[in-house]
Amino acid sequence: MENKRKLSRIAGALYLVVVLTGMFSLAYVPKQLFAWNNPAKTYNNILNHETMFRLSLASSVLCYTAFIFLPVVLYYLLRSVNGKIATIMALLAIISVPISLVNLQNKYHILTILDGLRQSNVPAGSELHNQVMLYLNQYDNGILIATIFWGLWLLPFGYLVYKSDFLPKVLGILLMLGCFGYLINFFGNTLSGNYEGLGVSQYIGLLPAIGEIGTCLWLLFIGAKNKA
């Protein structure tokens, strides 16, 4: 059990890195810089806050790197519950990492545009504004694809937590609900062009947030409980 406590602390620390860097790069920075219906404003925001934009890239790399090790540690923590399902959990999580890393190329293309304009000392026109927005939209689409696996791994993860006798069952339920939250938003955005306008995606998005943040804090500060 002492080994499980150590593993749970390590998993909690890795999860905290994923949560904090993910919130910064996927939520805070887009809210500050991206005006999806205004390419010129978005371009100027990135240009005027280039350091923040670069930090979001570095933050994403840290997030995805931690997300390689997190499911591995969770595998060793939960394999005693069901080894096969723990393996599936780890694989579904790790599959998302190369997708997410390759997707970052779209942001690096934007930096290439900024560096090229800086060297040529030529003011950007509407064509370049639209090109930057095109890369941002492609990046956003890549994130949407990655959410498939960000959701799928939570189902076996939640099941293992629920079936374990050393973690709270309620966390397992919340994690499994988080899986469906990700998938509902994925299919909603894929099948309907007006899904975001319905205003339900942000509430459905709370399902994985509650489950994952709750599990992260429990693993980090409380850890695996002693068996009766």
Side-chain angles (χ1 to χ4, degrees):
M1 181 52 66
E2 186 63 28
N3 185 49
K4 288 190 181 298
R5 284 190 178 278
K6 290 180 180 179
L7 286 172
S8 64
R9 295 291 196 275
I10 295 171
L14 288 169
Y15 223 146
L16 186 64
V17 172
V18 171
V19 168
L20 293 179
T21 54
M23 289 176 64
F24 177 75
S25 60
L26 296 173
Y28 178 77
V29 172
K31 186 175 181 180
Q32 299 299 314
L33 301 185
F34 306 159
W36 296 100
N37 295 321
N38 193 330
K41 183 178 180 181
T42 298
Y43 174 85
N44 289 324
N45 284 344
I46 296 174
L47 185 65
N48 295 329
H49 301 87
E50 186 176 335
T51 300
M52 182 187 293
F53 186 76
R54 288 181 178 274
L55 282 173
S56 74
L57 272 164
S59 180
S60 294
V61 172
L62 287 175
C63 178
Y64 303 144
T65 302
F67 202 54
I68 295 173
F69 296 102
L70 172 60
V72 174
V73 176
L74 288 173
Y75 166 80
Y76 284 105
L77 177 64
L78 296 166
R79 64 178 176 175
S80 61
V81 181
N82 189 311
K84 290 183 180 179
I85 294 180
T87 301
I88 293 171
M89 172 200 70
L91 289 175
L92 287 172
I94 293 172
I95 286 173
S96 72
V97 175
I99 297 173
S100 302
L101 287 172
V102 170
N103 187 43
L104 286 179
Q105 289 186 77
N106 290 299
K107 281 189 170 181
Y108 278 104
H109 287 321
I110 294 173
L111 290 179
T112 301
I113 292 174
L114 296 181
D115 291 338
L117 287 173
R118 193 177 292 113
Q119 292 174 7
S120 62
N121 200 25
V122 175
S126 59
E127 183 178 346
L128 282 177
H129 296 165
N130 291 330
Q131 189 175 359
V132 167
M133 187 57 68
L134 174 63
Y135 284 128
L136 280 180
N137 279 302
Q138 289 179 334
Y139 168 77
D140 200 44
N141 290 335
I143 292 296
L144 184 63
I145 294 172
T147 60
I148 299 172
F149 298 98
W150 293 351
L152 286 176
W153 89 289
L154 293 180
L155 189 60
F157 182 22
Y159 173 81
L160 291 169
V161 170
Y162 181 82
K163 297 295 288 186
S164 73
D165 54 2
F166 48 84
L167 293 172
K169 292 185 180 297
V170 65
L171 291 178
I173 294 171
L174 290 173
L175 287 168
M176 288 186 280
L177 288 175
C179 165
F180 295 108
Y182 273 121
L183 295 180
I184 289 170
N185 276 345
F186 167 77
F187 285 107
N189 280 291
T190 301
L191 299 175
S192 173
N194 191 41
Y195 179 72
E196 292 293 334
L198 298 177
V200 298
S201 61
Q202 56 184 335
Y203 299 107
I204 294 175
L206 289 176
L207 293 175
I210 294 171
E212 293 196 85
I213 293 174
T215 302
C216 165
L217 296 177
W218 184 279
L219 291 171
L220 184 61
F221 295 110
I222 300 177
K225 64 183 180 180
N226 290 319
K227 295 181 180 180

